[in-house]
Amino acid sequence: MIRPFRRVTLVVFGMFVALMVASTLIQGVFADELRQDPRNVRTTLQGYDVRRGSILVAGEPIAESVPSGDMYQYKRVYPQGPLYSSVTGYFTLNAGRTGIESAMNDELSGTSGSQFFDTLNRIITGQSPQGDSVQLTIDPKVQQAAWDALGDYRGAIVAIEPSTGRVLAMVSKPTFDPNSLTGTDGSAVDAAYQALVDDPGKPLDNRAIAGDEYHPGSTFKVVMSASALSTGSYTTESAFPNPASLQLPQSSAVITNASGTQCGPGDQVSLLNALVLSCNIPFAELGMSLGRQQIGTTAQAFGFNKDLSIPLKVTPSIWPTLQSDAQTALASFGQEDVRATPLQIAMVSAAVANHGVLMKPQLVDSVIAPDLSVRSGFSAEQWATPVSPQVADTVRDMMVQVVSRPDGTSHLAAIPGVDVAGKTGTAENGPGDPYTLWFTGFAPANDPQVAVAVVVEDGGSGTSYDLTAPMGKQVIEAVLNR
Amino acid sequence: MTDSARSHPASTTPPRSATEHAPVAVPKPRRGRNKLRDLELVLVLVACAINAAAILLVQLGAGAALGGMQLVLGLVLAALMVGVHITLRFVAPGADPFMLPVTALLGGLGIAQIYRIDLAVGLTGWDSTANRQMTWTGISLAACILVLVFLRNHRVLFRYTYLAGAGAVVLLLLPLVPGLGKAENGAQVWIGLGPLSFQPGELAKILLAVFFAGYLVRNRDSLATVGRSFLGLRFPRLRALGPILVFWLLAMGVLVFQRDLGTSLLYFALFLVMIYLATGRPGWVFIGLALFVAGALLAGRFLPYVQARFDNWLNAFSDSAYNATGGSYQLVQGIFGLANGGLIGTGWGQGYPDVTPLSQSDYIVASLGEELGLAGLFVIFGLYLVLVARGLRVGFAGQDDFGALLAGGLSFALALQVFIVVGGIMRIIPLTGLTAPFLAAGGSSLLSNWLIVALLLRLSDSIRNRPRLVIES
């Protein structure tokens, strides 16, 4: 009977080892991830019991915990309310959390791995727990300019610094006041939350990085130009046939330019003129001869179909799997199933601005411990190199002409004395639906300080030409004037 | 010792002489000091001190004042604990010195955690689960003393093999009797006697182990006879399959009629392990496991509640399972609690264990894991391991097969119960309704597990005393 006993003893040990492994996985390896789950009410409860760290912009709190004077120790307040809601997100008792409040929760609540020894120290010394503060890369002046520029339109604006990837502004409208969700009166918060969920304007969506995404329309022509030039077989002067309408192969679809006419005079149109005048037909022809493979490679190098967290989760923009030349032709001017977030389009401009090097967009500048020491600082990160410096600079010069030439579609973005590069876009969404209006660009062209993307969903009678280009200009000016 | 040294013809008598059945003369306490018992006394006092410190920490953490009731109950418990120790000095001087203090410590940690959650939800007096748990611990300790005093020789149990089997079946059927049975949390495993409710299945566990041990010692030769071999394993003869089919049906009955997956698994695995210990034939285990898996799969297909358990296990974090009624909310919240505790825990009173449903009973381990962290859980696992290992040791060194088999079965039952409960909480296996031995709030479970400890203490005493008795007689 000794041998079976030995084996059963081994089985018993095996069972306990399994338990130890499982508990180590839950409490050690995946603990941070589990803490971040928005359904984890403990994390939220903790935020109301411990002094949660502040979220700072240029040293000023845009979210902070103050003593609440009721059964909870602290409550969360957002001094600027809706202005920063797309960045901060909200922090509720019962409805989870979003934005930086969610993504940086471990640091804010003081439970991240880097605070392990602090936690241990606090347990031993009996101090009450306190979280770290998170300083953002957002520039308050640029954020305010973006907020004002967008006005009451439905849409989003993102501005990033091309050389570092710092996100300078991020606005999404319509939005909400996070203060309405942070009270300790559960039913009032629930009612406010439900009202936001039911609102047809979807104020809880962060359109800048994670809304339903948009057809990029003509802004995608920047990617197309970069893709063509990268092959080495095209130059800015490469010529394309210039009909007034084009029947797509194996399809009944007929496409036209936005003007409904030829793209400028002559039988042929150059790549440069096609971009400046934003014509669809030459780009459809270019797309079909480049092939969906080559365009896809370039688009993905710019970040399409890739996961990104800044550390807010960014919905990947979509370069679809295309079945036919007709689809490729439509995708070539940002229609078909091509989808993009405003951040993605800003990243395209930023990569062109930064000589082909795409820096990883980041929202967090530094994490600051309660004793004001910096726990982790900002370090710029190279994320991808979608095009060569030569190609990037050529595309840059093309984009400058889009703004500087009087017949360029983006000339309303021009700023006297500064070379601005830009591109507008007007995407169709289906019969009867309003157009999606775009602008993206950067400035100054020789030493880019900012790359921006603007999207408006409900421009009414406005066009990208007269609505979004001036919005982009306002944001660029805010950066150049600071 | 080898197998052959202890082999014996299949008979109705246990090994060694039948004359030893009657309560044998109690070995007189040894002259001089009993070092085992001295060690035990020191460890019991240490355990009581740790338990008192635990209650104190809960007080500090939750910022509440110590009630007179806890103080009185705590002192009574400490006294009873020492009482068990003194009883052992007289009636089982050779018993294992680690079992009592380890069990006392587990029980104390459980009470501290239960008390902490009482404070969070504001229960006091006799509404307080902790006070009731302490009372039940007192009753269990008294029962433990009674068993040790009146059961001087474990081999008396061998005589009542079939009575124990019949008793187990009756206890299992009780909750199904109309008017007596009560369904709680979906499982039909309780009986109500006025305001009290009891889980007879917990006691049935012990009777089943006694029955299995007796039955297997009597019949193991026919069970061990090898039939044909298949895939490199030698399987038992077909006609010897009768008993395993009977117990499979019993386990499936528990699953179907009492809707209690965990208990069903516990009984059946207990039977399989004991048949393996008795015969040394792994073939039995494979046949049994195949039968159980087949049964569970069928049940998963046709019984909605079993199917829900599997869904909640596999897709715990999906929104559909999480938001469903009877879905994975509890499982996920328990895991969130554990994650919230992290490596060193939040400290008593600093976590939110009461967010998880049943945080004092089924989910006590998640509550402990949240506030004491991974470190605390490892200590608890270690305590269980010591207890189980000391029990299995009786099997290794046991003098008679019946005692060895009983000790092995009871120890394994404890270990398996821990695995089923904690494995369910940690998503290794589907969640079931079992409770963690000694930790979880619940009188029936506490009483039956303390009775197991009493039996193990008695069995461990027989290792040391038997040879001396033989010499004396």
Coordinates of all heavy atoms in Angstrom, one line a residue, chain B residues 86-125:
Chain B
I86 N -5.5 18.7 26.5 CA -5.4 17.9 27.8 C -6.0 16.5 27.6 O -5.5 15.5 28.0 CB -6.1 18.6 28.9 CG1 -5.3 19.9 29.2 CG2 -6.2 17.8 30.2 CD1 -6.0 20.9 30.2
T87 N -7.2 16.5 26.8 CA -7.8 15.2 26.5 C -6.8 14.3 25.8 O -6.7 13.1 26.1 CB -9.0 15.4 25.6 OG1 -9.8 16.4 26.2 CG2 -9.8 14.1 25.5
L88 N -6.1 14.9 24.9 CA -5.1 14.1 24.1 C -4.1 13.5 25.0 O -3.6 12.4 24.9 CB -4.5 14.9 23.0 CG -5.4 15.2 21.8 CD1 -4.7 16.2 20.8 CD2 -5.7 13.9 21.0
R89 N -3.6 14.3 26.0 CA -2.6 13.8 26.9 C -3.0 12.5 27.6 O -2.2 11.7 27.9 CB -2.4 14.9 28.0 CG -1.3 15.9 27.6 CD -0.8 16.7 28.8 NE -0.1 17.8 28.3 CZ 1.3 17.8 28.2 NH1 2.0 16.8 28.7 NH2 1.9 18.9 27.7
F90 N -4.4 12.5 27.9 CA -4.8 11.3 28.6 C -5.2 10.1 27.7 O -4.9 9.0 27.9 CB -6.0 11.7 29.5 CG -5.6 12.4 30.7 CD1 -5.7 13.8 30.8 CD2 -5.0 11.8 31.8 CE1 -5.3 14.5 31.9 CE2 -4.5 12.5 32.9 CZ -4.7 13.8 32.9
V91 N -6.0 10.4 26.6 CA -6.5 9.3 25.8 C -5.8 9.0 24.5 O -6.0 8.0 23.9 CB -8.0 9.5 25.5 CG1 -8.8 9.7 26.8 CG2 -8.2 10.7 24.6
A92 N -4.9 10.0 24.1 CA -4.1 9.7 22.8 C -2.8 10.3 22.9 O -2.5 11.3 22.2 CB -4.9 10.2 21.6
P93 N -2.0 9.9 23.9 CA -0.7 10.6 24.1 C 0.2 10.6 23.0 O 1.1 11.4 22.9 CB -0.2 9.9 25.3 CG -0.8 8.6 25.4 CD -2.2 8.8 24.8
G94 N 0.0 9.6 22.0 CA 1.0 9.5 20.9 C 0.4 10.2 19.7 O 1.0 10.1 18.6
A95 N -0.7 11.0 19.8 CA -1.2 11.6 18.6 C -0.3 12.6 18.0 O 0.5 13.2 18.7 CB -2.6 12.2 18.9
D96 N -0.5 12.9 16.7 CA 0.3 13.9 16.0 C 0.2 15.2 16.7 O -0.9 15.7 16.9 CB -0.2 14.0 14.6 CG 0.8 14.7 13.7 OD1 0.8 16.0 13.8 OD2 1.5 14.1 12.9
P97 N 1.3 15.9 16.9 CA 1.3 17.2 17.7 C 1.0 18.4 16.8 O 0.8 19.5 17.3 CB 2.7 17.3 18.2 CG 3.5 16.5 17.3 CD 2.7 15.4 16.7
F98 N 1.0 18.2 15.4 CA 0.8 19.4 14.6 C -0.7 19.6 14.2 O -1.1 20.7 13.8 CB 1.7 19.3 13.3 CG 3.1 19.3 13.6 CD1 3.9 18.1 13.6 CD2 3.7 20.4 14.0 CE1 5.2 18.1 13.9 CE2 5.1 20.5 14.3 CZ 5.8 19.3 14.2
M99 N -1.4 18.5 14.2 CA -2.8 18.6 13.6 C -3.6 19.6 14.4 O -4.3 20.5 13.7 CB -3.5 17.3 13.6 CG -3.0 16.3 12.6 SD -3.8 14.7 12.8 CE -3.0 13.8 11.5
L100 N -3.7 19.6 15.7 CA -4.5 20.4 16.5 C -4.1 21.9 16.3 O -5.0 22.7 16.0 CB -4.5 20.0 17.9 CG -5.4 20.8 18.9 CD1 -6.8 20.7 18.5 CD2 -5.2 20.4 20.3
P101 N -2.9 22.3 16.5 CA -2.5 23.7 16.3 C -2.8 24.3 14.9 O -3.3 25.4 14.8 CB -1.0 23.8 16.7 CG -0.6 22.4 16.9 CD -1.7 21.5 17.0
V102 N -2.5 23.4 13.9 CA -2.7 23.9 12.5 C -4.2 24.1 12.3 O -4.6 25.2 11.7 CB -2.1 22.9 11.5 CG1 -2.7 23.1 10.1 CG2 -0.6 22.9 11.5
T103 N -5.0 23.2 12.7 CA -6.5 23.4 12.6 C -7.0 24.6 13.3 O -7.8 25.4 12.8 CB -7.2 22.1 13.0 OG1 -6.5 21.0 12.5 CG2 -8.6 22.1 12.5
A104 N -6.4 24.7 14.6 CA -6.9 25.9 15.4 C -6.5 27.2 14.7 O -7.3 28.1 14.6 CB -6.2 25.8 16.7
L105 N -5.3 27.2 14.0 CA -4.9 28.5 13.4 C -5.8 28.7 12.1 O -6.2 29.9 11.9 CB -3.5 28.3 12.9 CG -2.7 29.5 12.5 CD1 -2.9 30.6 13.5 CD2 -1.2 29.2 12.3
L106 N -6.1 27.7 11.4 CA -7.0 27.9 10.2 C -8.3 28.4 10.7 O -8.9 29.4 10.1 CB -7.2 26.6 9.5 CG -6.0 26.1 8.5 CD1 -6.2 24.7 8.1 CD2 -5.9 27.1 7.3
G107 N -8.9 27.8 11.7 CA -10.2 28.2 12.2 C -10.1 29.6 12.7 O -11.1 30.4 12.4
G108 N -9.1 30.0 13.4 CA -8.9 31.4 13.9 C -8.9 32.4 12.8 O -9.5 33.5 12.8
L109 N -8.1 32.1 11.7 CA -8.0 33.0 10.6 C -9.4 33.2 9.9 O -9.8 34.3 9.6 CB -7.0 32.5 9.5 CG -5.5 32.5 9.9 CD1 -4.7 31.9 8.8 CD2 -5.1 34.0 10.2
G110 N -10.1 32.1 9.8 CA -11.4 32.1 9.2 C -12.3 33.0 10.1 O -13.0 33.9 9.5
I111 N -12.3 32.8 11.4 CA -13.2 33.7 12.3 C -12.8 35.1 12.2 O -13.7 36.0 12.1 CB -13.0 33.2 13.7 CG1 -13.7 31.8 13.9 CG2 -13.7 34.2 14.7 CD1 -13.5 31.1 15.2
A112 N -11.5 35.4 12.1 CA -11.1 36.8 12.0 C -11.6 37.4 10.7 O -12.1 38.6 10.7 CB -9.5 36.9 12.0
Q113 N -11.5 36.7 9.6 CA -12.0 37.2 8.3 C -13.5 37.4 8.3 O -14.1 38.4 7.8 CB -11.6 36.3 7.2 CG -11.9 36.9 5.8 CD -11.1 38.1 5.5 OE1 -9.9 38.2 5.7 NE2 -11.8 39.1 5.0
I114 N -14.2 36.4 8.9 CA -15.7 36.5 9.0 C -16.1 37.7 9.9 O -17.0 38.5 9.5 CB -16.2 35.2 9.6 CG1 -16.0 34.0 8.7 CG2 -17.7 35.3 9.9 CD1 -16.2 32.7 9.3
Y115 N -15.4 37.9 11.0 CA -15.6 39.0 11.9 C -15.4 40.3 11.1 O -16.2 41.3 11.3 CB -14.7 38.9 13.1 CG -14.8 40.0 14.1 CD1 -16.1 40.4 14.5 CD2 -13.7 40.6 14.6 CE1 -16.2 41.5 15.4 CE2 -13.8 41.6 15.6 CZ -15.1 42.0 15.9 OH -15.2 43.0 16.9
R116 N -14.4 40.4 10.3 CA -14.1 41.6 9.6 C -15.2 42.0 8.6 O -15.6 43.1 8.5 CB -12.8 41.4 8.8 CG -12.3 42.6 8.0 CD -12.7 42.3 6.5 NE -12.3 43.5 5.7 CZ -13.1 44.5 5.5 NH1 -14.3 44.6 6.2 NH2 -12.8 45.5 4.7
I117 N -15.8 40.9 8.0 CA -16.9 41.2 7.1 C -18.2 41.5 7.8 O -18.9 42.4 7.4 CB -17.1 40.0 6.1 CG1 -15.8 39.9 5.2 CG2 -18.3 40.2 5.2 CD1 -15.7 38.6 4.4
D118 N -18.3 40.9 9.0 CA -19.5 41.3 9.9 C -19.4 42.8 10.2 O -20.4 43.5 10.1 CB -19.4 40.6 11.2 CG -20.0 39.2 11.2 OD1 -20.7 39.0 10.2 OD2 -19.8 38.4 12.1
L119 N -18.2 43.3 10.5 CA -18.1 44.7 10.8 C -18.4 45.6 9.6 O -19.0 46.6 9.7 CB -16.6 45.0 11.2 CG -16.2 44.4 12.6 CD1 -14.7 44.7 12.9 CD2 -17.1 45.0 13.7
A120 N -18.0 45.1 8.4 CA -18.3 45.9 7.2 C -19.8 46.0 6.9 O -20.3 47.0 6.5 CB -17.6 45.2 6.0
V121 N -20.5 44.9 7.2 CA -21.9 44.9 6.8 C -22.8 45.2 8.1 O -24.0 45.3 8.0 CB -22.4 43.6 6.2 CG1 -21.7 43.4 4.8 CG2 -22.1 42.4 7.0
G122 N -22.1 45.4 9.2 CA -22.8 45.8 10.4 C -23.7 44.8 11.1 O -24.8 45.0 11.5
L123 N -23.1 43.6 11.3 CA -23.8 42.5 12.0 C -23.3 42.4 13.5 O -22.1 42.4 13.6 CB -23.7 41.2 11.3 CG -24.4 41.0 10.0 CD1 -24.1 39.7 9.4 CD2 -25.9 41.2 10.2
T124 N -24.2 42.4 14.5 CA -23.7 42.3 15.8 C -24.5 41.2 16.6 O -25.5 40.7 16.1 CB -23.8 43.6 16.6 OG1 -25.1 44.1 16.4 CG2 -22.8 44.6 16.1
G125 N -24.1 40.9 17.8 CA -24.8 39.9 18.6 C -24.9 38.6 18.0 O -24.0 38.1 17.3

